[in-house]
Amino acid sequence: MFVGSIPKNATEDSLKDVFTQFGNIEELVLMRELDGVSKGCAFIKFKTKEEALLAMRFVNGNVYLGGSDKPMEVRFAENKKKTTATPTEQAHSTR
């Protein structure tokens, strides 16, 4: 799923702290600029769709991370037809 409105100082661990309470995270990719600073979004893959739905229900528009003035936006990630790369492959291709 896609997570947006993440503050620039966010880390993978700070996201895990929020999302692990909803289920088993199989993959978490925090998108970063070339200099390593967060792009303000991430992709999270839960073990089950039900876990992802639970996280979306409770986090989307309700949880603020790291002193942000905007709540996180959580939704299912859209498939891009131009690429078949996984979030991990996409993250590595932007480095």
Side-chain angles (χ1 to χ4, degrees), residues 11-74:
T11 64
E12 286 85 352
D13 287 339
S14 63
L15 288 168
K16 285 179 185 176
D17 287 345
V18 171
F19 286 95
T20 54
Q21 62 186 315
F22 301 105
N24 297 309
I25 295 174
E26 290 189 336
E27 186 175 14
L28 188 153
V29 178
L30 178 60
M31 303 303 288
R32 296 183 181 277
E33 300 288 352
L34 292 176
D35 63 3
V37 175
S38 167
K39 288 186 174 185
C41 64
F43 293 93
I44 299 175
K45 181 179 178 183
F46 280 95
K47 188 172 184 175
T48 69
K49 184 176 181 177
E50 290 76 21
E51 293 169 339
L53 287 168
L54 188 63
M56 282 194 297
R57 184 181 317 141
F58 285 97
V59 178
N60 184 46
N62 297 311
V63 176
Y64 296 76
L65 187 64
S68 176
D69 60 347
K70 293 169 57 176
M72 286 188 283
E73 172 189 344
V74 183

Side-chain angles (χ1 to χ4, degrees), residues 58-93:
F58 285 97
V59 178
N60 184 46
N62 297 311
V63 176
Y64 296 76
L65 187 64
S68 176
D69 60 347
K70 293 169 57 176
M72 286 188 283
E73 172 189 344
V74 183
R75 65 178 186 267
F76 282 115
E78 297 174 12
N79 289 330
K80 300 291 182 187
K81 292 183 181 182
K82 293 181 181 178
T83 181
T84 57
T86 66
T88 300
E89 292 167 341
Q90 291 173 4
H92 290 294
S93 70

